[in-house]
Amino acid sequence: MAATTPAQQGEDTLSIGDIREEWWWIRPAIEELLAENPTLTYIPEDVYAEVKAERAMLFIAEGGFAVTTSKVDQFSGEKTLLMWIHWSRPRKAPALFRHMEGMRQVAEATGHTWIEARTKSERWGNALARRGWELDDLVYRKPVNVGTR
């Protein structure tokens, strides 16, 4: 079943969401993301648990949502706000980009030095670069049970 967002509520704002109240449409969206990205290892209930335990935060906007987590550099102590999950419809007008300034403000207010987003999509990477983001690193993976060629 495809995920659908709640009916339009008027002005498009970024707000902190209650995972329990929003689960009816968040879960199918996460299932959709997992189906499109089979290398992801979490299940929807993992996201629910992380938000409920306050190790992640749910942000809601018209047509989409983001789930963020914090990570701390073990050497510098700098905090990064990681855009762990982001989903929006329509895809051509992602809510994430409309609310990037709001996310930056949240990051700053919570003591983060950086905001980070991960994607396999070159198109998303290019869109982020046009908005001042920098490519930090590329990660290549290979199962250990596959030859070394």
Side-chain angles (χ1 to χ4, degrees):
M1 178 168 129
T4 59
T5 61
Q8 187 169 344
Q9 303 285 321
E11 186 178 331
D12 183 19
T13 59
L14 181 68
S15 60
I16 296 172
D18 180 326
I19 191 79
R20 194 169 183 168
E21 290 179 14
E22 307 292 343
W23 192 238
W24 66 271
W25 70 278
I26 298 289
R27 182 189 174 130
I30 293 170
E31 289 172 338
E32 181 181 305
L33 289 170
L34 293 170
E36 293 170 357
N37 300 280
T39 59
L40 296 175
T41 58
Y42 59 86
I43 62 174
E45 289 77 11
D46 294 329
V47 178
Y48 186 97
E50 290 298 297
V51 173
K52 285 300 284 180
E54 298 182 358
R55 290 184 298 263
M57 188 177 296
L58 173 65
F59 290 92
I60 303 292
E62 179 63 36
F65 72 92
V67 179
T68 64
T69 62
S70 284
K71 62 181 195 172
V72 179
D73 184 284
Q74 65 187 20
F75 304 110
S76 71
E78 289 182 328
K79 288 173 58 179
T80 298
L81 184 69
L82 172 64
M83 303 286 198
W84 176 27
I85 301 168
H86 48 88
W87 180 94
S88 65
R89 293 297 178 266
R91 288 185 182 194
K92 291 183 179 180
L96 177 64
F97 292 141
R98 292 194 314 270
H99 296 287
M100 196 57 69
E101 177 57 21
M103 297 303 292
R104 188 202 65 74
Q105 291 173 4
V106 167
E108 185 176 45
T110 54
H112 292 83
T113 304
W114 300 94
I115 301 177
E116 182 177 298
R118 297 179 183 181
T119 183
K120 289 183 177 186
S121 166
E122 188 174 336
R123 185 179 65 103
W124 275 83
N126 290 336
L128 289 167
R130 285 192 304 273
R131 290 166 173 82
W133 293 59
E134 301 172 2
L135 177 61
D136 187 50
D137 59 22
L138 298 172
V139 176
Y140 295 88
R141 295 176 51 173
K142 182 177 181 178
V144 296
N145 64 350
V146 176
T148 56
R149 296 201 289 164

